[in-house]
Amino acid sequence: MPTTESNAYKVIYYPSSTIQAPFSHMHGRLSCSMPERLLNHNSKTLRNNREPFAITVGGSTIYVLTMPNDVADAYRNTSSLSFDVFVQVMMRNLGSSTQSIRAMFSPMPADKDGFPNPHGKPLGRLARELHTTQLYPGENLTKLDNKFIESFGAQLNFEKMAESTYATRDEKGGITAPLLRWSSDLFTRAGQTAYFGDLLGTMDPELTWTFLEFDDLSWQILFQYPRIISHRVHTARERLTAVLEKYFSVPAEDRGEQAWFTHAMEHEMRTIGISTHDIATMMTTIYWGINTNTRKASFWMLAYLTQNPRLLEQIRHETEPAFDNGVLSVDYLKNSCPLLDAIWNETLRHSAYSASVRHITEDTIIGGKTLRKGNRLMIPYRQLHFDESVFGEDAHVFEPERFEKNPKLLRSASWRPFGGGITMCPGRHVAKESVAIFIAMVLRRFNIEFVKDQVFPRGAEGTPVLGIMNIEDGEDPLAHGAPFVIPTPTNRHVLVSSAKDIKELSEAPVDQLSLHAVAKEMLQPKYTMQGFEWKDQRGVEGTGFVRALRCLMTSQLPNLLPSLRCTLENEMMAELKDCQTSKGETHLKVFPSIKRIVAKTNSLFFFGSELSQNPDFTDAALRYPQDVFVAGEAVRSVPQVLASFAANLTTRGHRASKVMFDHLAPVIERRLEVRGQEGPNKPIDCMQYLIDTSPRKAPWTVQRTIGEIMAVWFSSVHQLAMAATFALEDLCMHPECVEPLRQELEGYIDGAAVLDLDAFPLLDSFLKESSRLSVSDAIRRKALKDLDCFNGTHVNEGDWVCVAQRAMMHDSGHYSDPEAFDAFRFARKRPNGQSQELRRFTDVKPDWLIWGYGNTTCPGRFYASAVLRLLLCHVLANFDMQLLDKGATRTMTWRLGIDFQARVVASSGNADDDGRLIHLRQATNVAHAFALGSILGGEQMNGLSPAYVARKTHRPSNITESSNNQICTALFEALPGKVSLPSDSGYDASLKSYFSQQEAEITPYCIVSPLNESDVSAAIKILAAPDSTTKFAIRGGGHTVWKGSANIEDGVTIDMRNLNTVKVSEDKTVISVGAGALWRDVYTVTDSLGLATSGGRAAQVGVGGLTTGGGLSFFSARYGFVCDNVLSYDIVLADGSLVSANETTNPDLWVALRGGSNNFGVVTKFHLRTFPQIPFYGGQVFYSLDTAPQQIDAFAQLAGAEDFDENASLITSFSYTEGVGGAIQNSLKYVSPVLNEKPAVFQPFLEIGGQLGQTMRVSNVTDFTTEQGAFSADGFRYVVFFLYLSLSRFHFHPLLIQLRPKFHSQKAKRLISECEVNSQLYRTTTTHLSRPFLDRIYTLWSATIPTIRPIPGIQWALSIQPIPLLITSRSTQLGGNSLGLSSLPPTSPPLINILLTGTWNNTADDVLLQQTAVKLFDEIEYEAKVKNKPSLYHPYKYLNYADGGQDVIQGYGKESVRALRGVSRRVDPRGVFQRQVVGGFKLWRGREGEEGLSEE
């Protein structure tokens, strides 16, 4: 195509006057690939002359230098070659104001404060010196390195990796992740934290992904693309700048730790009057520079290493000594790893792809050529780096040892990976060191393999960058997961496929993206369902059907299964009888026959025996779904004026729906009249469940009820029949599958096994594979308003957002040979003989979406799966089959659509995203885990700091609503942006974050969310002012279950969760933890450094409440109570002062806080002792309840040993669960390494028969506490069951790579059933060890079972754990505490902690359960005191397990109580934390004197 002269690119050669080289016109943007193309052309036309040449673009001339000597001359010239112009253009393109740019490049006063500037340089140039001070070797760089070590240490663990949205599980049970996405995620988070601290990520957790989108498209800003075609990059930039502006609006002292450069640069900018917005814009450039290159450099370096396993092992061996006692030495990496250094340089040589640019301010001669004023000069690095005269004939080959063999290359003028002259990158040292740290830590923690059959990624040589080149589009396995748009005749379809986008779609509010609106548009219910009109948004009044199907219907499956099986088999025989030919053969039209069988079987479960035996009704029920679907299509295809006519015509006058309505109406009317009445004759079917869960305040009419039931029925037949049809056809087309399936089903008798999700792995895999290759439907949502979502994708009102799961199921990125039918791919053994993690047919994951996803996941999938299994089991057991016409078409095109052939990949989420699953058969193996887990994982931690356990309070007469509002107003004015009122989203978010519903139901007047200790002080000064009587509460993790424990009605709650920093001292002996942190935050850091601290046993428990309440840990026998390991407290007292309490400063307060709970002030930080710790042995073992005598024997033997093993930790739990029965669970941990992984001290437990399952393994604290914490549901409306699966090996595929942990591990996967769990209790006491009395305790607990058994949703568990004298002696050695146990004589029998936990559904049962618990413990304590001589009773009650009504403090003993009261009078003379913090366990039990608190 001809072009105008102005658009042509020209090559011009300058000897002494201008000569134009013969060069054809080129089109396209100026990019970093252009010089290489031009040089290739120049080699042919100008005889390989590499003298300066020029290209002219649109009348502008750009000179190009490629000779090393010319480049060196250019870098030395700072007078006529200027870089400032380009910096200013870049700043303007990134949104900086003209005023700020002018200020940045105007001379500064030489005598200004701040960074020395004796020559008065403009800040635009002085910034380089600031960079140099931060990034050159020295103290500031060392701090940055440590930040990177800390960040990588926290992120390089399998728990976090498995949770990442870009991770997918491969068919071998591993986890795959694209290398570039993975390295980009880690490096961007690390760089962000190193420079800006944790606050920036807290403000916007998705900021790193926003930056990555900006960075990948930033070339559009470099080339000043119009916004209309570059809106995504501008949107991302604006989001990034907005968060930075919010960050710099926070006072510097309130931001937490940040890099020296960040603080210094901000100070200098504010000095010259630059606004906060422009500071944010400037720092956007800094953020860009920090993160754009290291993420890509680490990617390329690991890519080269994984391509060469021998080389990778050499680097692993070379870097291993850098970890001295588990602590990484950066100096060792820098000075003693020559091969690592050489590979870094060779990686840069191949991947550095930017160019230096200068503006020519005066005519300048370089290389004997005149460069004219006003033009530009460019120095492309890539041409220098591939100069064969310097790097050899193999310059285009990656040679790992090139720079090690020839160190002189580093001094070559052709070596310019970081530029040169005054613009040489000041961040080169931290870039090199951070990548070396990353590589060393990755290789130490994981084994890495390059996934087979992958092509090494190609660099994006046509895309401009600021340093390291990106990869070519499509080279990243998830690159095609980006959203795209397909126009259709009626609307646009926005297709998404990445796990992140699918999750965003599933979590979108229903007033934005609605499934209900899609169904309404497709089915047109107004015309096709008897006028049953739907709204675009499903209201709360219509969601009962979800619980009806998900909980009630599924829970009845075991009872109804025999009838279902009988009905299905009878209907099957009837169909076959009608299909016999004259030759005695049976020819079955599969889909029509299966549809009839499914419809008649379903009708029993949905409508009950009466209607399911009525042939008129069942025939209509069979026709109805297809009538609706066909009529809906017809209505959508005609003008609205003809809609009624079209629907009437296609449904033959709505015959089927009318018959159904006429039969259902009298039945529904009768049932509605007796709704709420229980009795033996109450129907058990889905129709009744829908009635029971329908609204009570605004009851449905008969017509509305029928409409809801028929809508549910519509979904129950067609899809199940299609799935069964495809499965039967696949059996015929793959007869090699029949025999293995029959062998697996051998012994199948009563059909109940179909409810066991793991009973038939081959059958399950077969069904999954059949569904994978036949799935055609997609997740869809209709946009109810214009939206910008999915990383900036614009969705118009009326668009459908869809997941094209058919394309995903055929994607080679997920499935090897995806077009082939591989029946048992999901059940295949690993090469080492171990079973891979089963992916069940009923699973719901971002890459397995046949059941939907999120809150619209099919609630009837367990029923559907059971029917499907019943059908196939019956067929396999009784029939041989074959297809009569194997070439017949299996499917038809119902409606014009698009076959998406494009590669679409969705990454999988972590195993806990599986939705709410119910494991129904053999529940005795696993279903006790909630009752047991609420003991082990819950640990009744008081989620606050100090431990705040509030009894129910009433508003005193002297506190009025207006006075509390005045307090909230004062707090709001003193702490802007940190006080939430009931109308604020932050208020709701705080309440929703509580562990129990009891706490979440409490509504304080306002909630204060301090960011730092100063905020806490300010709040206390207002709340505890002399004229204030406002009650207040303090919460940390919010994990305690009972009402008022960390919240308050008619008062103010201080939410400490933002004070959650975790920092290890330089000598690794102390870890400082914010009072709002959770133990998972602590262990993530300590595990990464080979350290541990004595802390909570459940990952999601708060640090504050547990520690101030005493705290038991895995390490208690070795290091005492958790509180004994607090070296120092930072605490805000009642007068608002912040003080320290430790062994030398306020030593009495230090001891008092060790168990003294919330009686002295608000602890803001704990400084805890650390110690070296490597992975250790532990886990859970489950038994049947009839092993109780053996369990008690083993427990007494371990607990009563004279030489109690200080490495052992044990909790034994007995439980009863509704519908399941009893079970026993032992939580065992041995914190010292053992050779055979089975410590002798645990052999008595491990040898007990009747095990139902176990998770014993070697792992770290994070893993064990995550498992323990998982036993307790984070939310009050869920009962959590567990199925233990052996995940003995994880894999991570970067690009793809495989990462395996160095140790084998097992992990619990949750199966969650959504049920109502509204009420919970804890109660505790302490006795001395006695084997006979343990029997008596178990007997007393067992006697309560008949009382509690009828209570709906009951989980009732008793736990015992030893408190050996070793613990109390350690406490004394470590400075003592206030728990009162140090006085125990050495000959005293060990103590035993006893804990009762319970959860149940209905608040109406609260009184009975509380009374039962109190009575049980009264009996235990009475018999311990009176019936045993000497007495076995001890008054100590472990505060973190105690009920609010128990007297904990008095159990510490008179001497301890007297000391605690003395400290309280000294630090809180007005008794603020006795009178105003009314919850918890008070020192005076609430008795107040006139002038202070009395001694009583």
Side-chain angles (χ1 to χ4, degrees):
M1 181 180 294
T3 64
T4 62
E5 184 69 14
S6 62
N7 285 336
Y9 297 108
K10 300 178 181 178
V11 176
I12 303 174
Y13 179 78
Y14 288 92
S16 57
S17 61
T18 301
I19 297 178
Q20 179 173 322
F23 189 75
S24 59
H25 290 182
M26 294 180 61
H27 305 278
R29 62 179 182 268
L30 176 64
S31 74
C32 293
S33 62
M34 188 177 301
E36 186 165 19
R37 297 176 189 170
L38 294 174
L39 281 175
N40 290 338
H41 178 80
N42 195 30
S43 296
K44 298 176 182 178
T45 60
L46 301 179
R47 300 179 183 178
N48 204 26
N49 192 328
R50 300 192 70 177
E51 295 183 343
F53 67 94
I55 54 176
T56 301
V57 182
S60 177
T61 298
I62 301 176
Y63 301 100
V64 180
L65 304 182
T66 60
M67 290 287 286
N69 292 337
D70 295 342
V71 170
D73 287 344
Y75 280 137
R76 282 192 291 266
N77 186 334
T78 59
S79 58
S80 62
L81 300 181
S82 171
F83 187 63
D84 289 353
V85 172
F86 300 101
V87 174
Q88 293 174 30
V89 170
M90 179 69 70
M91 291 169 62
R92 188 172 293 108
N93 291 344
L94 289 172
S96 293
S97 66
T98 302
Q99 181 181 1
S100 67
I101 296 173
R102 186 181 300 116
M104 286 289 291
F105 288 91
S106 298
M108 299 177 71
D111 58 350
K112 69 169 186 63
D113 64 350
F115 192 78
N117 187 13
H119 302 293
K121 293 181 181 179
L123 181 53
R125 296 177 186 171
L126 184 67
R128 174 178 169 77
E129 296 182 24
L130 296 176
H131 273 297
T132 301
T133 302
Q134 172 70 73
L135 300 174
Y136 272 41
E139 180 182 356
N140 289 329
L141 178 58
T142 299
K143 289 181 178 179
L144 277 189
D145 285 342
N146 290 336
K147 279 293 182 183
F148 278 101
I149 293 172
E150 181 180 331
S151 180
F152 292 148
Q155 295 183 76
L156 288 174
N157 69 72
F158 280 90
E159 285 299 324
K160 286 203 172 183
M161 291 179 179
E163 293 171 0
S164 60
T165 58
Y166 49 78
T168 64
R169 292 196 181 279
D170 65 18
E171 61 181 7
K172 297 180 180 179
I175 300 174
T176 69
L179 179 56
L180 181 59
R181 183 77 66 90
W182 182 52
S183 59
S184 296
D185 183 15
L186 266 65
F187 266 92
T188 305
R189 292 182 189 278
Q192 173 181 291
T193 303
Y195 273 79
F196 300 98
D198 296 326
L199 179 59
L200 198 59
T202 302
M203 289 177 166
D204 184 356
E206 298 297 318
L207 187 62
T208 55
W209 298 116
T210 301
F211 164 74
L212 293 176
E213 181 174 20
F214 162 77
D215 193 27
D216 286 341
L217 299 173
S218 57
W219 58 267
Q220 296 176 359
I221 290 180
L222 294 175
F223 284 91
Q224 302 181 47
Y225 270 37
R227 183 167 184 131
I228 192 172
I229 59 174
S230 61
H231 67 90
R232 286 181 63 192
V233 67
H234 284 285
T235 299
R237 176 188 61 78
E238 288 162 0
R239 289 177 182 170
L240 183 59
T241 302
V243 178
L244 285 166
E245 183 173 2
K246 182 179 178 182
Y247 174 86
F248 284 107
S249 297
V250 175
E253 63 272 15
D254 295 344
R255 293 180 207 148
E257 193 171 358
Q258 58 184 357
W260 175 88
F261 172 83
T262 306
H263 174 76
M265 191 67 184
E266 179 192 7
H267 174 79
E268 298 295 331
M269 286 191 283
R270 293 198 185 278
T271 298
I272 59 175
I274 294 180
S275 68
T276 299
H277 175 75
D278 280 324
I279 289 174
T281 303
M282 302 285 185
M283 296 306 286
T284 298
T285 309
I286 302 300
Y287 189 107
W288 187 12
I290 292 166
N291 295 308
T292 185
N293 288 319
T294 50
R295 68 182 184 93
K296 289 177 283 189
S298 63
F299 159 79
W300 286 113
M301 196 164 175
L302 264 182
Y304 285 118
L305 287 174
T306 53
Q307 278 284 322
N308 188 335
R310 181 189 62 81
L311 181 64
L312 186 144
E313 288 306 314
Q314 285 180 276
I315 294 298
R316 190 195 307 276
H317 179 74
E318 183 180 71
T319 58
E320 182 64 29
F323 295 89
D324 184 16
N325 293 323
V327 179
L328 178 59
S329 168
V330 178
D331 287 340
Y332 188 92
L333 293 179
K334 290 191 298 184
N335 302 319
S336 304
C337 297
L339 182 57
L340 179 70
D341 191 66
I343 294 173
W344 162 255
N345 291 321
E346 184 72 350
T347 299
L348 292 183
R349 192 178 70 83
H350 277 261
S351 59
Y353 204 65
S354 59
S356 279
V357 289
R358 297 289 190 272
H359 181 73
I360 305 171
T361 59
E362 299 290 343
D363 285 357
T364 304
I365 297 176
I366 292 182
K369 313 304 176 190
T370 301
L371 313 183
R372 302 298 181 185
K373 173 183 177 181
N375 293 312
R376 300 181 183 181
L377 172 69
M378 182 168 71
I379 304 169
Y381 300 148
R382 193 163 180 81
Q383 281 64 43
L384 296 173
H385 291 166
F386 286 86
D387 187 344
E388 293 183 2
S389 66
V390 177
F391 295 99
E393 295 180 357
D394 63 347
H396 289 268
V397 176
F398 186 89
E399 171 50 56
E401 299 175 350
R402 186 187 307 274
F403 287 86
E404 185 178 12
K405 293 177 179 178
N406 187 3
K408 293 181 180 179
L409 292 175
L410 295 173
R411 298 189 293 275
S412 168
S414 290
W415 176 239
R416 298 288 182 182
F418 298 103
I422 62 170
T423 59
M424 179 176 285
C425 174
R428 59 190 182 276
H429 300 290
V430 71
K432 177 180 178 179
E433 291 172 16
S434 63
V435 172
I437 289 167
F438 174 71
I439 297 293
M441 293 182 72
V442 167
L443 297 186
R444 178 175 171 82
R445 295 191 180 198
F446 312 119
N447 293 323
I448 306 174
E449 297 175 9
F450 190 85
V451 174
K452 296 179 180 179
D453 302 323
Q454 286 192 109
V455 178
F456 191 80
R458 293 172 297 146
E461 297 183 354
T463 302
V465 291
L466 293 184
I468 305 298
M469 65 180 172
N470 216 323
I471 60 174
E472 195 69 70
D473 288 344
E475 295 295 309
D476 180 83
L478 293 184
H480 294 286
F484 59 97
V485 176
I486 299 293
T488 72
T490 54
N491 61 359
R492 297 192 323 156
H493 288 188
V494 180
L495 276 295
V496 299
S497 60
S498 73
K500 179 175 180 290
D501 291 342
I502 292 171
K503 188 172 186 292
E504 182 178 351
L505 172 63
S506 69
E507 295 177 350
V510 294
D511 61 347
Q512 296 180 4
L513 294 174
S514 170
L515 169 64
H516 211 60
V518 169
K520 177 182 175 182
E521 186 172 319
M522 289 182 63
L523 304 180
Q524 298 292 317
K526 179 179 179 181
Y527 303 104
T528 65
M529 292 185 173
Q530 289 279 307
F532 179 45
E533 179 64 304
W534 295 352
K535 298 178 181 179
D536 283 339
Q537 302 175 45
R538 185 89 176 172
V540 175
E541 83 290 343
T543 56
F545 82 94
V546 175
R547 182 170 175 255
L549 299 179
R550 183 174 289 151
C551 278
L552 301 179
M553 183 182 78
T554 307
S555 67
Q556 287 297 325
L557 270 175
N559 300 327
L560 293 173
L561 202 61
S563 298
L564 281 175
R565 182 186 184 191
C566 182
T567 301
L568 185 146
E569 293 179 358
N570 289 339
E571 294 301 329
M572 183 73 147
M573 296 308 297
E575 281 291 328
L576 296 178
K577 183 178 180 181
D578 294 339
C579 296
Q580 288 187 350
T581 67
S582 58
K583 297 181 180 180
E585 298 175 344
T586 300
H587 291 178
L588 189 71
K589 291 184 177 180
V590 183
F591 185 54
S593 295
I594 293 300
K595 195 161 59 169
R596 284 191 291 271
I597 293 169
V598 169
K600 291 182 179 180
T601 303
N602 283 3
S603 64
L604 172 65
F605 205 24
F606 273 75
F607 304 114
S609 57
E610 179 183 350
L611 289 176
S612 67
Q613 294 174 13
N614 185 318
D616 290 339
F617 177 81
T618 55
D619 287 346
L622 175 62
R623 291 197 311 271
Y624 171 72
Q626 185 163 319
D627 280 358
V628 170
F629 200 81
V630 173
E633 290 292 302
V635 169
R636 295 173 65 194
S637 305
V638 301
Q640 189 171 0
V641 68
L642 299 176
S644 294
F645 172 77
N648 196 57
L649 180 66
T650 52
T651 60
R652 290 155 295 175
H654 300 285
R655 186 183 308 169
S657 61
K658 287 180 179 178
V659 171
M660 288 189 72
F661 190 94
D662 291 343
H663 282 84
L664 286 170
V667 177
I668 297 298
E669 189 171 3
R670 289 197 304 269
R671 293 192 183 188
L672 286 175
E673 289 176 355
V674 297
R675 178 184 179 182
Q677 298 180 15
E678 302 293 332
N681 297 322
K682 183 177 179 178
I684 302 177
D685 52 49
C686 186
M687 188 162 59
Q688 185 64 45
Y689 301 148
L690 290 167
I691 290 172
D692 289 343
T693 57
S694 63
R696 296 180 180 272
K697 292 184 179 179
W700 288 344
T701 63
V702 172
Q703 184 171 1
R704 170 67 187 275
T705 305
I706 294 174
E708 293 283 350
I709 291 170
M710 290 175 68
V712 174
W713 172 254
F714 168 82
S715 305
S716 72
V717 176
H718 197 74
Q719 295 287 350
L720 179 54
M722 286 197 300
T725 299
F726 283 123
L728 290 176
E729 290 181 355
D730 285 328
L731 277 177
C732 294
M733 296 172 67
H734 303 280
E736 70 278 5
C737 302
V738 172
E739 191 56 35
L741 289 171
R742 284 177 173 168
Q743 291 178 6
E744 182 178 72
L745 297 174
E746 189 174 348
Y748 165 80
I749 299 175
D750 62 0
V754 301
L755 297 180
D756 188 339
L757 299 179
D758 295 318
F760 306 125
L762 295 182
L763 179 61
D764 212 51
S765 178
F766 179 88
L767 289 173
K768 286 200 70 172
E769 184 71 351
S770 179
S771 299
R772 182 182 73 83
L773 291 174
S774 62
V775 66
S776 59
D777 204 2
I779 293 177
R780 305 181 182 98
R781 301 287 188 273
K782 182 178 180 179
L784 302 184
K785 59 181 71 172
D786 287 355
L787 301 169
D788 286 311
C789 46
F790 311 116
N791 288 327
T793 302
H794 184 73
V795 180
N796 298 322
E797 181 179 356
D799 287 353
W800 285 12
V801 181
C802 312
V803 180
Q805 58 174 320
R806 182 175 177 80
M808 292 166 57
M809 295 296 185
H810 289 254
D811 181 69
S812 60
H814 282 288
Y815 305 101
S816 60
D817 198 5
E819 301 302 326
F821 184 91
D822 185 354
F824 306 133
R825 74 165 71 229
F826 296 101
R828 190 163 291 120
K829 299 287 185 180
R830 292 174 175 170
N832 62 5
Q834 295 178 334
S835 297
Q836 68 175 5
E837 176 197 357
L838 295 178
R839 304 182 81 186
R840 302 181 188 83
F841 182 49
T842 48
D843 276 1
V844 179
K845 298 187 178 186
D847 63 347
W848 186 254
L849 301 167
I850 66 169
W851 306 103
Y853 190 65
N855 55 14
T856 57
T857 298
C858 174
R861 63 189 183 280
F862 296 101
Y863 168 81
S865 173
V867 172
L868 197 54
R869 287 178 172 210
L870 283 173
L871 178 63
L872 261 68
C873 287
H874 180 66
V875 169
L876 286 165
N878 294 280
F879 304 100
D880 292 319
M881 300 181 300
Q882 62 179 3
L883 288 176
L884 294 179
D885 183 2
K886 295 184 179 180
T889 303
R890 299 181 71 186
T891 60
M892 60 174 288
T893 301
W894 177 261
R895 192 169 190 259
L896 181 64
I898 298 172
D899 185 11
F900 300 105
Q901 298 296 330
R903 175 185 167 98
V904 181
V905 182
S907 58
S908 74
N910 84 26
D912 285 347
D913 291 336
D914 286 357
R916 292 173 280 277
L917 309 180
I918 307 174
H919 197 121
L920 295 168
R921 184 175 181 265
Q922 295 184 345
T924 52
N925 289 20
V926 293
H928 311 284
F930 176 77
L932 304 176
S934 60
I935 302 161
L936 302 172
E939 249 188 352
Q940 176 110 15
M941 302 312 176
N942 307 299
L944 47 91
S945 175
Y948 174 76
V949 190
R951 300 180 179 88
K952 181 176 180 181
T953 59
H954 301 279
R955 182 185 303 169
S957 58
N958 63 328
I959 296 293
T960 66
E961 185 171 348
S962 60
S963 65
N964 276 291
N965 284 339
Q966 291 172 3
I967 285 289
C968 289
T969 300
L971 290 166
F972 191 86
E973 292 174 350
L975 299 167
K978 301 166 187 175
V979 179
S980 303
L981 302 176
S983 59
D984 297 332
S985 59
Y987 184 96
D988 292 335
S990 180
L991 294 183
K992 289 178 181 178
S993 67
Y994 281 97
F995 176 75
S996 73
Q997 182 179 5
Q998 293 102 307
E999 284 285 76
E1001 288 175 342
I1002 297 176
T1003 53
Y1005 279 109
C1006 57
I1007 298 174
V1008 181
S1009 300
L1011 293 177
N1012 51 44
E1013 295 165 330
S1014 298
D1015 291 347
V1016 177
S1017 175
I1020 294 299
K1021 286 178 180 178
I1022 294 171
L1023 291 166
D1027 58 346
S1028 171
T1029 54
T1030 298
K1031 310 296 185 187
F1032 61 98
I1034 310 101
R1035 62 113 3 141
H1039 196 267
T1040 308
V1041 300
W1042 54 274
K1043 192 169 185 177
S1045 55
N1047 202 359
I1048 190 166
E1049 197 76 47
D1050 299 340
V1052 175
T1053 294
I1054 301 177
D1055 185 342
M1056 300 286 288
R1057 288 178 301 150
N1058 288 331
L1059 278 76
N1060 57 8
T1061 57
V1062 178
K1063 182 178 181 181
V1064 178
S1065 65
E1066 291 187 5
D1067 63 1
K1068 305 296 189 296
T1069 62
V1070 179
I1071 186 167
S1072 300
V1073 183
L1078 305 179
W1079 285 109
R1080 71 161 65 97
D1081 304 325
V1082 178
Y1083 298 144
T1084 300
V1085 174
T1086 53
D1087 278 339
S1088 70
L1089 299 174
L1091 302 173
T1093 189
S1094 187
R1097 293 170 290 189
Q1100 80 273 35
V1101 167
V1103 171
L1106 173 76
T1107 308
T1108 57
L1112 289 168
S1113 81
F1114 299 145
F1115 305 97
S1116 283
R1118 191 192 292 175
Y1119 295 110
F1121 288 92
V1122 174
C1123 65
D1124 297 327
N1125 292 273
V1126 182
L1127 300 174
S1128 184
Y1129 299 85
D1130 295 349
I1131 180 171
V1132 174
L1133 301 179
D1135 61 0
S1137 61
L1138 176 65
V1139 302
S1140 295
N1142 50 53
E1143 193 171 11
T1144 58
T1145 303
N1146 295 307
D1148 58 340
L1149 179 58
W1150 178 54
V1151 174
L1153 287 169
R1154 290 179 159 195
S1157 190
N1158 65 339
N1159 287 291
F1160 311 100
V1162 182
V1163 177
T1164 58
K1165 186 173 290 185
F1166 300 84
H1167 304 276
L1168 299 160
R1169 177 184 294 104
T1170 63
F1171 45 85
Q1173 182 65 45
I1174 63 175
F1176 54 91
Y1177 181 74
Q1180 317 290 330
V1181 187
F1182 301 90
Y1183 310 83
S1184 58
L1185 201 56
D1186 56 13
T1187 64
Q1190 299 99 297
Q1191 303 290 343
I1192 293 173
D1193 282 340
F1195 180 94
Q1197 179 180 336
L1198 185 151
E1202 290 185 9
D1203 53 344
F1204 188 93
D1205 193 327
E1206 67 173 13
N1207 299 302
S1209 170
L1210 163 69
I1211 304 176
T1212 296
S1213 303
F1214 311 90
S1215 78
Y1216 175 84
T1217 304
E1218 179 194 30
V1220 175
I1224 298 174
Q1225 178 180 2
N1226 280 317
S1227 175
L1228 307 171
K1229 306 292 182 299
Y1230 196 82
V1231 297
S1232 180
V1234 288
L1235 295 178
N1236 62 0
E1237 297 188 358
K1238 291 184 179 180
V1241 71
F1242 291 153
Q1243 286 302 322
F1245 296 96
L1246 300 176
E1247 292 171 357
I1248 296 173
Q1251 283 191 18
L1252 305 178
Q1254 55 90 11
T1255 68
M1256 302 304 292
R1257 65 203 183 279
V1258 172
S1259 192
N1260 58 22
V1261 180
T1262 300
D1263 183 33
F1264 284 129
T1265 56
T1266 299
E1267 176 187 63
Q1268 200 112 318
F1271 286 122
S1272 131
D1274 277 336
F1276 41 81
R1277 294 192 183 275
Y1278 296 92
V1279 176
V1280 182
F1281 302 93
F1282 292 84
L1283 176 64
Y1284 285 94
L1285 298 177
S1286 174
L1287 304 181
S1288 60
R1289 183 176 63 175
F1290 286 74
H1291 303 275
F1292 260 75
H1293 298 200
L1295 139 62
L1296 302 169
I1297 61 172
Q1298 292 185 331
L1299 308 178
R1300 299 189 188 94
K1302 294 292 186 65
F1303 52 85
H1304 294 294
S1305 66
Q1306 296 174 328
K1307 179 186 175 185
K1309 288 186 65 180
R1310 286 192 287 182
L1311 304 178
I1312 306 177
S1313 166
E1314 183 180 31
C1315 300
E1316 300 287 333
V1317 180
N1318 292 327
S1319 301
Q1320 306 179 38
L1321 66 76
Y1322 276 49
R1323 197 167 187 87
T1324 190
T1325 193
T1326 305
T1327 70
H1328 288 285
L1329 173 65
S1330 163
R1331 171 64 180 82
F1333 193 57
L1334 290 178
D1335 278 333
R1336 182 57 181 161
I1337 293 171
Y1338 174 73
T1339 300
L1340 291 172
W1341 172 79
S1342 299
T1344 65
I1345 303 300
T1347 302
I1348 59 94
R1349 182 182 287 118
I1351 294 175
I1354 188 65
Q1355 307 273 341
W1356 191 251
L1358 185 83
S1359 293
I1360 54 176
Q1361 58 184 309
I1363 305 179
L1365 297 182
L1366 265 181
I1367 295 181
T1368 59
S1369 65
R1370 302 291 192 224
S1371 299
T1372 302
Q1373 296 166 11
L1374 296 171
N1377 57 43
S1378 58
L1379 302 177
L1381 297 176
S1382 58
S1383 59
L1384 284 171
T1387 57
S1388 172
L1391 297 178
I1392 302 299
N1393 172 264
I1394 304 165
L1395 167 67
L1396 177 73
T1397 64
T1399 65
W1400 57 97
N1401 290 358
N1402 304 319
T1403 56
D1405 297 316
D1406 287 6
V1407 174
L1408 174 61
L1409 269 300
Q1410 291 285 353
Q1411 289 176 345
T1412 304
V1414 171
K1415 180 182 177 183
L1416 170 61
F1417 274 70
D1418 284 348
E1419 290 175 342
I1420 291 173
E1421 292 181 350
Y1422 173 78
E1423 294 200 12
K1425 292 177 184 176
V1426 178
K1427 292 192 175 183
N1428 285 272
K1429 300 299 181 182
S1431 172
L1432 296 174
Y1433 175 74
H1434 193 283
Y1436 172 72
K1437 291 178 177 60
Y1438 180 45
L1439 184 147
N1440 295 312
Y1441 286 169
D1443 176 68
Q1446 292 189 279
D1447 197 350
V1448 172
I1449 299 297
Q1450 301 304 313
Y1452 290 177
K1454 291 183 178 180
E1455 182 178 341
S1456 182
V1457 171
R1458 187 178 299 109
L1460 290 170
R1461 290 176 177 176
V1463 174
S1464 174
R1465 288 194 186 90
R1466 182 177 74 80
V1467 301
D1468 182 17
R1470 293 190 297 108
V1472 170
F1473 287 90
Q1474 303 301 310
R1475 293 192 177 106
Q1476 291 177 246
V1477 182
V1478 294
F1481 303 98
K1482 301 290 97 177
L1483 303 181
W1484 277 268
R1485 292 178 290 182
R1487 298 181 186 142
E1488 303 173 6
E1490 290 295 327
E1491 301 299 329
L1493 296 172
S1494 68
E1495 184 62 33
E1496 292 302 317

